[in-house]
Amino acid sequence: MSRSHNRPTALRVLAELTEQLRATSSRKAKTELVAAVLRSLRPHEIEPAIGFMLASPRQGAIGVGWATVAATDEPGRGTEANDDLRRGEADDGDVSISDFDALIDRLDSITGEGSVDARVSELSIFLARCDPQTASYARRVLTGDARQGALTGVLTEATAKAAEVKTAVMRRSVMLQGDLGQAARVALVDGPQALAAIDLVVHRPIQPMLASTASDVAEAIESVGRASVEWKLDGARIQVHTVRGGSKRDAFETAVYTRNLNDVTSRLPAVLEVVAKLDCHSAVLDGEVLGFFGEDHKPQAFQDTMSTFGTHGTAPGLRPYFFDLMFLDGNSLIDQPLEQRLLLLADLLERSGVASTAVPGLFTDDAAKAEKHFEAAIEAGHEGVMVKAANSSYEAGRRGKSWLKIKPVHTLDLVVLGAEWGHGRRQGWLSNLHLGARDPASGGFVMVGKTFKGLTDELLTWQTERFQALKRSEEEQPGRHVVMIRPELVVEIALDGAQSSSRYPGGVALRFARVRGYREDKEPADADTLDAVRALL
């Protein structure tokens, strides 16, 4: 695809785009604005530009955060110490997207003793070359604070528009590529055929398929028809990629990823032990890891599983349980119906001698049978059941209506927008949480309620420290002092339902909300939507 110019694209173009996106609430208008910029980029600028728009550079975490960025303003360390360089190297403020990308490469390469000061110096020199608007934008990208209302969904649609391909094709390719920037480059440079050719590849993780919520089993069965009704385990989601190879003829090269696509292979030896027994050449499996306790072998609560998962170098007590098979012996299965995938999974686990790692489930269109399976799951100490359409394909990264989750208590995954300083026994702690649901139309979050219930002293201590690190602003409101934070933390909230309310912008409020625990395995984009809250009215 041709580009409109051969000059490097100024980083200022993205800074100005961000301001334009903030000024409009129309998703269509946002999409058109981003598409116009994408069309103008040079091929090598596409991937870094997408990363900057998401405030998630392609290099990943490089160890530069608020402290490093703030230090550039300190006397003797910041931009004021580089006035001579600013006059000598500035080019009318037109530092390019490639210049910023190269800076991040340099920052990433700086390690060892003195690295903090070296990074501050490099960043100060760069910022000294920028006009104020561009410098402010660069700072926000580095600290993960884009705040422009154009999240992955809008950027995916904009890329499809710019490349003149269907959004569904673009979305599928993004999920299978595992990276929006890389998929965007394929779409805009290599064209529609190359984009459509992207498929599942072993050791390139994909976004997991997600579920919507149903109020009860009967409603779910009525919605999807014949279904796989499976126990819903309250564990940590994993995706396992494995292929025979390596130095030993029959050894497996295995990688285990979280739902956020982080590699946690070394921390889950029990998973590797099971995978080593698989009677296949290659496979990609979807599942969960779960811990158990006591003589009754009851499942751990999610918080306990995540505590084990997150605080130890390895978590040998977490066992794998699989509920889907997306790839087997060189063949992608994601377009096969679920019933076929589960037959292949059951056969693989059975002939490998690890049938016990299959999540208990049954195929039925009988609501009474499904209800009995739900009751058995609850009796065994699990969350509830998943009801999955038997004919559903694996829609990577999508929260559609083919998979439905049913729990005995309503729960929502919401984003913390702020908190109030406590009183009495909670003096000195940030306590009352301001909770937001995701608004797909704007890409932002809408406040739907508050809660201070369910917070232990340990959680209060942790969140007080964490919230202050994420602080955007502080403000006095009648009878309370509120700290507003960047919307980065997802918390699981149990509630009795929802009610109409003019108190909050979404027109709905939570009933008897209480904290079940923070979901550090989830991103804000995974939070429940405003429509999911309204569905509980």
Side-chain angles (χ1 to χ4, degrees):
M1 183 173 293
S2 62
R3 294 288 175 268
S4 60
H5 64 82
N6 290 317
R7 288 175 55 101
T9 303
L11 185 61
R12 187 185 66 253
V13 170
L14 299 186
E16 293 172 346
L17 173 64
T18 294
E19 297 306 317
Q20 291 174 312
L21 293 172
R22 287 178 179 175
T24 180
S25 60
S26 166
R27 189 181 182 95
K28 181 179 180 181
K30 290 177 187 289
T31 300
E32 290 174 347
L33 286 168
V34 176
V37 169
L38 290 175
R39 290 189 194 100
S40 72
L41 297 178
R42 303 164 83 189
H44 67 275
E45 296 171 338
I46 295 168
E47 186 177 346
I50 290 284
F52 300 156
M53 283 188 267
L54 291 171
S56 179
R58 65 177 183 82
Q59 292 87 349
I62 61 170
V64 173
W66 284 100
T68 303
V69 172
T72 62
D73 292 325
E74 295 177 9
R77 298 180 74 187
T79 55
E80 291 182 2
N82 291 286
D83 283 342
D84 291 341
L85 181 132
R86 178 183 311 170
R87 303 292 176 256
E89 293 193 22
D91 182 20
D92 298 324
D94 279 351
V95 296
S96 69
I97 289 172
S98 295
D99 289 336
F100 191 32
D101 188 49
L103 166 74
I104 297 174
D105 279 335
R106 292 196 301 276
L107 294 175
D108 191 28
S109 69
I110 298 173
T111 59
E113 185 177 354
S115 61
V116 173
D117 285 340
R119 284 174 172 173
V120 171
S121 177
E122 279 282 354
L123 181 55
S124 297
I125 291 170
F126 178 83
L127 294 175
R129 298 174 55 201
C130 299
D131 63 84
Q133 182 184 35
T134 303
S136 175
Y137 176 73
R139 288 186 173 99
R140 293 200 306 272
V141 170
L142 289 171
T143 55
D145 187 18
R147 290 188 295 167
Q148 61 188 13
L151 298 176
T152 304
V154 171
L155 290 175
T156 301
E157 293 172 16
T159 305
K161 185 176 184 67
E164 300 179 355
V165 299
K166 293 181 178 179
T167 300
V169 174
M170 190 69 225
R171 185 182 296 119
R172 171 188 167 91
S173 300
V174 169
M175 299 309 170
L176 292 174
Q177 182 71 37
D179 183 273
L180 174 55
Q182 293 174 13
R185 192 182 192 285
V186 172
L188 293 162
V189 178
D190 301 326
Q193 289 188 332
L195 186 72
I198 295 175
D199 204 347
L200 178 59
V201 175
V202 179
H203 291 308
R204 187 171 69 195
I206 62 173
Q207 296 288 344
M209 185 168 177
L210 305 174
S212 297
T213 302
S215 59
D216 56 47
V217 172
E219 175 190 298
I221 291 293
E222 182 179 358
S223 175
V224 305
R226 179 172 169 78
S228 173
V229 183
E230 306 163 8
W231 286 8
K232 188 180 188 309
L233 310 185
D234 194 15
R237 188 83 173 261
I238 58 169
Q239 185 178 132
V240 178
H241 290 239
T242 189
V243 63
R244 288 193 184 276
S247 58
K248 296 181 180 179
R249 179 183 175 188
D250 292 328
F252 274 109
E253 292 179 351
T254 299
V256 184
Y257 303 95
T258 66
R259 63 177 293 142
N260 297 332
L261 310 187
N262 297 319
D263 190 330
V264 291
T265 307
S266 62
R267 295 159 63 184
L268 295 170
V271 177
L272 302 183
E273 181 182 335
V274 169
V275 172
K277 299 176 182 178
L278 293 181
D279 182 19
C280 63
H281 177 267
S282 57
V284 176
L285 304 97
D286 200 353
E288 303 215 5
V289 287
L290 189 64
F292 295 86
F293 69 94
E295 295 180 359
D296 296 334
H297 202 57
K298 289 291 185 179
Q300 289 180 337
F302 173 79
Q303 294 90 326
D304 294 329
T305 294
M306 289 306 295
S307 176
T308 303
F309 200 17
T311 59
H312 298 278
T314 60
L318 299 184
R319 315 300 299 181
Y321 293 87
F322 300 112
F323 54 75
D324 215 327
L325 180 65
M326 297 93 82
F327 190 96
L328 181 63
D329 289 337
N331 298 307
S332 172
L333 305 176
I334 59 174
D335 293 323
Q336 296 294 317
L338 174 65
E339 192 157 9
Q340 179 64 25
R341 299 200 307 273
L342 291 189
L343 285 172
L344 292 171
L345 175 62
D347 178 66
L348 173 62
L349 299 181
E350 180 69 33
R351 71 173 186 261
S352 303
V354 291
S356 62
T357 61
V359 172
L362 60 88
F363 277 98
T364 185
D365 58 4
D366 187 324
K369 290 182 179 179
E371 182 66 33
K372 287 183 178 180
H373 201 60
F374 172 80
E375 293 169 358
I378 300 300
E379 178 66 23
H382 297 289
E383 275 196 305
V385 293
M386 300 288 296
V387 175
K388 304 175 181 178
N391 61 357
S392 60
S393 58
Y394 194 94
E395 299 179 57
R398 298 286 292 161
R399 190 187 299 278
K401 298 296 185 181
S402 298
W403 287 16
L404 300 171
K405 55 185 175 183
I406 301 97
K407 305 179 186 179
V409 176
H410 297 302
T411 64
L412 292 170
D413 293 325
L414 301 175
V415 172
V416 181
L417 304 178
E420 300 168 16
W421 286 106
H423 302 281
R425 200 184 76 79
R426 294 192 176 185
Q427 183 77 33
W429 277 329
L430 283 168
S431 176
N432 201 15
L433 304 181
H434 290 206
L435 303 168
R438 183 166 52 86
D439 183 1
S442 69
F445 300 94
V446 178
M447 189 171 175
V448 292
K450 303 179 184 180
T451 187
F452 55 83
K453 297 179 180 179
L455 292 168
T456 64
D457 289 359
E458 182 180 4
L459 269 182
L460 285 164
T461 300
W462 176 85
Q463 71 182 28
T464 298
E465 180 179 356
R466 188 77 176 94
F467 289 179
Q468 291 184 88
L470 296 174
K471 182 173 68 175
R472 279 183 168 177
S473 63
E474 292 191 47
E475 54 191 62
E476 291 286 346
Q477 297 180 5
R480 54 185 176 269
H481 187 97
V482 184
V483 173
M484 304 306 296
I485 69 172
R486 301 199 304 276
E488 295 182 11
L489 299 178
V490 178
V491 63
E492 184 177 17
I493 299 294
L495 65 159
D496 289 356
Q499 60 191 33
S500 297
S501 173
S502 59
R503 184 178 181 183
Y504 300 117
V508 62
L510 310 178
R511 296 182 64 247
F512 304 107
R514 57 269 189 199
V515 172
R516 292 192 67 181
Y518 282 88
R519 295 301 303 258
E520 295 183 55
D521 63 321
K522 291 192 174 184
E523 300 289 344
D526 297 324
D528 284 303
T529 64
L530 186 57
D531 286 341
V533 181
R534 289 171 175 163
L536 299 177
L537 288 171

